Amino acid sequence: MRIRVTPFRALRVAFAALWTDLSPSATESEGHRNTLRRQLRQLAQSWPFALLVALAAPLQVAWTGWQQARPGVMLVALACAAVLALFGTLLLLAIRRGITRRWSLHGKVRTAMALGAVGGAALLLLVFATAQLSPGPARLAGFVTAFGAMIVLVIALYPVRAATLGFGAGLLVTLGAQDGIGIGLGIGTVLLLALTSSTYRLALFERSAVAQRDLDHAQGRMATRLVAEFETHSSGWFWQTNSEGEVTYLTDKVARELDTPDAPAIGAPLSRLFRMDSALPETERTIAFHLSSRTAFSNYSVRPASRAKLERWWSMSGRPIFDEDGIFIGFVGSGSDLTERRRADAEITRLALFDGLTGLANRQRLRLALDQMLAQPASPQRMTSLFLLDLDRFKAVNDTLGHQMGDALLKQVAQRLQRGIGEAGLVGRLGGDEFQVIMPGQADREKLAELARRVIFDLSQPYSIEGSAISIGCSIGIAIAPQDGGDSETLIRNADLALYAAKGDGRGIHRFFRDELLVGAQSRKQLEDDLRQALVGNQFYLAYQPVVDTRSERIVGYEALLRWAHPTRGLVSPAEFVPVAEDCGLIETIGEWVLRTACTEAAGWPGDVRVAVNVSPIQFANPVLPSLVTSALAKSGIAPHRLELEITEGVFLDESAASEQMFKTLKGCGVRLALDDFGTGYSSLGYLKKAPFDKIKIDQSFVKGATIPGNRNAAIIRAIVSLADALGMETTAEGVENRDEITLIRDLGCSHIQGFVYGKPARAADVLQQLTIGGGMATATGYQITRNPRTAMLRSARIEAGAVSGEVRIRNISSTGAMIEGIEVDDGTTDLDVLIELLEDQMFPAKLRWAADGRAGLEFAETFNLERLAAPSVPQAARKAG
Ligand code: C2E
Ligand code: MG
Ligand code: MG
């Protein structure tokens, strides 16, 4: 920066500076202190000059003393000069090096006093010395010099310019009076030059000071703006106190919160506005402590002290501040709002321990509570009971009415459950439709059973949600600690087993844990392990049971039924292992094997004979099923219409857009669909409309007993048949076991029959034989009550089949056949030629038509006259036995 100094400007600045320096009010202001400090520094910088000024008076006196031949005066004046020079140099050096700044105020005062005393003494000496000089101008000069020197001392702490001017004036007058105008002018010129140079330097200084001030102002404005921005739009705030600890500044938003009608926050003691958040450990280090000990603190968590209900938390930091002189003037600090974070923390804690939907305890909290209860030393408290609840049919509600309704239902269930349990226990939700109740100190089975029944009753009452009435049920498993498990894990597992049993026993009930349940679960586990082995160990095979056209008695297809030849258990029923496979996820792999094997084996069958494969709901829910079907068809090469997939009502439990899509896709593959076991599930006729079934299979439970007069099953079958007819679907009656049932089923209009009457499930090789030898026709076996009245009897008779002979009992007999007991042939054996001793020593030829469970049906080759039995002759065997 270039400086241009015009004479006018220099004068103006000099005058302004002079005036500023001497202005009495200026001394009190902060600004003046700064100016003073600056000038002191300036003075210190030009110290040789300042020193010369200070020494001018004693040197002047010494000179006069020399001239007047007064060595005493001269020596005193020189001593004065030496003292002033020494002290002045030291002081100025100290100022220059900034040493004085580090002094405390006391130090400064002491130094000033010492210096003043020395200076005063020196000056006094000087005055005395001057008084020794001859009167006249010299003396006057001495006084004036002394006066000038005093002015220098008095205002030495003030400006260079004032000192120079004052002293210069005194000197001028003295010299002018003494030695004439020449010297006076000379010295005056020097002084003026000094004054000009000093003014010039001052002008430079002022100029940079002005620039600095502008910069400071701009920065100040920016800082103010930033602070205001920060204070209004962030969670931060500032505060300051005076040395008494009273708030002198507090960001508006916080001040407003802390203001009370009778006491504004500004002016109040800081320690009375805030208190430490007692939740934190450092409570003993209170704010008041820091204020009184003048120590800094940081990140203290504080709350409003007087307004306990105000939900506010702040983090607060502060440090003491001191002025230039090291005097403590108060505290300054900042803070930030922690409220939101605190709330979020609280919310996180809540979420971590409570169920978001129902507000009940969540799995985590239940587990903690159970752990705690079980960890207590043996006491009545340690008798803890655990209820595990599962809602029945909740999934159906959720799937059909939507998740929102499902959620609303869960909330209501939670409320009812909470009300029902009351203070007796801790109620929580594990997730989905599973709830848990922990009841400390309760182990009375009767009371627990009573409570469980009441809860089931409560939860089974209809719910009203958005205007619709919804009904669900509830099953409960109960385990009691310590007898059913001393630790959480065991107790929960056992309650789970009890719940499983409750569901298995028909739902809507409660079950206590029993040891047998564990044994059952373990054998189930074993079965599961064995199942895994079965797949790799080739222990599965398929048995095929014929499906027969009712009118023509022609075999239209076979149902493939899975068989498991277990190495040690023997034949395991699919009814036993399929549910296990479904539970453990093996059904997918097993089902695929069944599908592929059935298709491959059916490929060898003549004509259009179909094969039906059972598909588990779990397979049905898997989107890969259609591609699996097409792959099996393609690999085996059978036409799609020859494959029939049997699906149970179970798939409709999961009624959703996905299952509808699955029906469409499967139909698109060209395969047939049959609804298996119709009437056994919670049959809703609604889905018959939507699902494109080709056939309904009427469950065997309807066929059983249908022939007995007065039984309603026949009516039900008729209704199902007419429903199927109306929908253009075929019907198969399952489990038809005798010819009477065939007649009935035919009369009821069923299009197909499947059952032991036309044969039990047989191996693939036998199927081929059946189809080729029998020409695709089925032969019914089994008795027919209606045609020939049977005579019940119990007597022994000999029987021969080829070379083998043995003894059997005849249960009943008609003219065309007999039913015998105690025969040792394989179940399902048919068309075996035998001889039976109906009369003593008279063997009659007959055909064994069916055999099951040690019983068999015989068809006589020729009609037997029952009256011959009345003859006195008794069969040999009976005689022997008698
Ligand atoms: P389902 O599909 O209803 O099969 C008919 C069941 O009834 C078969 O039992 C069959 O042997 C039996 N049955 C047939 N006629 C008569 C009869 O006249 N009287 C009596 N009392 N029973 C008869 P099985 O083979 O024990 O199969 C039981 C169930 O296991 C099947 O019922 C089916 O739901 C399931 N299942 C069988 N194989 C498979 C399979 O490969 N996959 C799947 N997912 N399930 C299968
Ligand atoms: Mg089936
Ligand atoms: Mg069935």
Side-chain angles (χ1 to χ4, degrees), residues 429-491:
R429 175 169 166 246
L430 296 174
D433 60 347
E434 276 185 55
F435 293 83
Q436 196 185 70
V437 182
I438 304 171
M439 269 164 303
Q442 182 58 275
D444 183 328
R445 293 174 85 88
E446 245 329 294
K447 282 193 184 138
L448 289 172
E450 174 56 34
L451 180 62
R453 276 191 290 268
R454 213 178 54 231
V455 166
I456 293 171
F457 177 80
D458 283 351
L459 298 190
S460 307
Q461 299 309 303
Y463 296 80
S464 161
I465 293 167
E466 288 175 26
S468 31
I470 297 172
S471 281
I472 51 163
C474 164
S475 308
I476 300 182
I478 307 171
I480 304 166
Q483 74 245 34
D484 296 341
D487 59 289
S488 300
E489 208 148 307
T490 318
L491 199 65

Side-chain angles (χ1 to χ4, degrees), residues 545 559 561-563 574 614 676-677 700 734-735 737 755-756:
Q545 186 177 32
E559 175 173 6
L561 293 159
L562 184 57
R563 293 291 174 260
N614 292 287
D676 204 356
D677 302 341
Q700 41 178 289
E734 293 190 86
E737 293 190 347
F756 293 168

